[in-house]
Amino acid sequence: MAASMALIEKLELLDEDESSVTAREILGTISAERRSVWSSRLTAEVPALSPSDELVAVRCAGGRGPLEHAVRIASDGGAEMATPILVECKVSYEELPPSALVEYRFDDDASSDGGGGPWRLSMVCLEYLLAFRAGKFKDWEKRLLEPTCKAEFRRMVKIGPVFNVFDHHMFPSPEEEKAKFEVTDDHGRKVVLPRPVTALRIWSTERQAYEEVDPTLEGAPKPEERESYWTGMLQKLAENFPEEAGELGLVSK
């Protein structure tokens, strides 16, 4: 480990603004649990990473505050080498350490054991997620009230109300589950349906623990108002789309 620490001390590490970090503290090996959460993205985006490579957490001071780099320690021809692991925030296009991205889960995940599906690494950092939540509830309402086709309308009604953040680019479903949230419109085009996350979290390098992130869309009704909201929405849909609503068993009063 002493040799690895020396490599890390010499390694150039950058903050979110691509400036050199001003301080660093080697925290130790990243846990297998955290590494497993990152696995789907790292496998696709860091193909050189081997299960036998060690990932070391390095807490750094950057221009926007503390951040935690993940440094890969691997052997190259018998000599150890150190490289930072970076993944892209698909909104800001910044190259960031995995710990800077939000983690998410679905409660309807096929692999769920009743306690919610597995955690996955998202495609978005916390800063841009918080900005993204604003206005998304209105987008969902608009899609429900102005569907592109009957198939989309039927599936969205069956999915039910969406009060949590959703986006198939930021929070992709596993390949084997994507078809459940897709329909083909009247022009033969694929339409991706909203699949809201159940929970969000972010790693805190200061606390060395996860912190919950509220997944609720801004503008969504409060929990105690949601049942009556959905009842009212179904009534509106039955009035606006009597034929399609009738097929789903919705009857306007």
Side-chain angles (χ1 to χ4, degrees):
M1 186 64 178
S4 300
M5 292 178 66
L7 287 173
I8 294 171
E9 290 292 350
K10 297 177 182 178
L11 185 65
E12 182 181 28
L13 295 175
L14 305 178
D15 65 13
E16 300 94 333
D17 300 314
E18 299 186 0
S19 298
S20 296
V21 300
T22 56
R24 66 187 69 190
E25 176 188 358
I26 299 173
L27 301 175
T29 302
I30 292 171
S31 70
E33 178 188 1
R34 292 181 65 200
R35 189 163 171 163
S36 175
V37 172
W38 300 350
S39 62
S40 59
R41 287 205 64 178
L42 296 191
T43 299
E45 298 177 37
V46 191
L49 180 65
S50 167
S52 62
D53 294 341
E54 184 180 11
L55 288 185
V56 177
V58 183
R59 180 160 52 213
C60 302
R64 302 187 200 176
L67 73 158
E68 186 175 300
H69 269 284
V71 176
R72 172 194 176 216
I73 304 296
S75 295
D76 182 17
E80 282 194 334
M81 56 182 291
T83 52
I85 297 293
L86 299 173
V87 290
E88 186 182 59
C89 170
K90 300 298 184 181
V91 180
S92 67
Y93 302 107
E94 296 170 310
E95 294 287 329
L96 300 169
S99 61
L101 301 186
V102 176
E103 298 178 10
Y104 68 103
R105 73 193 308 182
F106 301 117
D107 67 356
D108 58 354
D109 198 295
S111 58
S112 173
D113 58 3
W119 288 100
R120 296 184 172 89
L121 189 63
S122 78
M123 303 288 181
V124 64
C125 61
L126 181 60
E127 177 184 356
Y128 283 86
L129 168 70
L130 298 179
F132 176 80
R133 287 187 314 195
K136 197 66 177 176
F137 183 68
K138 292 298 181 184
D139 289 345
W140 169 78
E141 283 187 322
K142 182 178 175 63
R143 285 189 64 178
L144 188 59
L145 293 169
E146 300 176 16
T148 60
C149 63
K150 290 183 178 180
E152 180 183 20
F153 175 81
R154 288 194 294 267
R155 288 290 296 278
M156 286 189 68
V157 171
K158 288 182 178 180
I159 289 172
V162 172
F163 303 125
N164 287 355
V165 70
F166 63 92
D167 187 89
H168 67 283
H169 295 297
M170 294 184 187
F171 311 107
S173 296
E175 284 297 327
E176 66 273 14
E177 297 181 22
K178 288 183 177 180
K180 296 193 300 182
F181 296 89
E182 296 174 351
V183 296
T184 302
D185 69 13
D186 299 334
H187 303 286
R189 295 174 300 201
K190 182 178 71 175
V191 178
V192 181
L193 303 172
R195 187 184 190 185
V197 304
T198 300
L200 300 171
R201 66 183 186 181
I202 190 78
W203 180 256
S204 168
T205 188
E206 300 101 314
R207 297 179 55 238
Q208 285 297 288
Y210 282 107
E211 295 180 346
E212 292 184 8
V213 177
D214 186 3
T216 308
L217 294 170
E218 291 185 20
K222 297 177 181 178
E224 63 271 18
E225 300 170 348
R226 292 177 180 177
E227 183 175 355
S228 61
Y229 166 85
W230 184 234
T231 299
M233 176 60 76
L234 291 177
Q235 175 64 27
K236 184 182 294 186
L237 294 175
E239 295 170 355
N240 293 354
F241 308 100
E243 180 180 348
E244 292 82 356
E247 294 174 1
L248 293 172
L250 306 179
V251 181
S252 61
K253 296 181 180 178

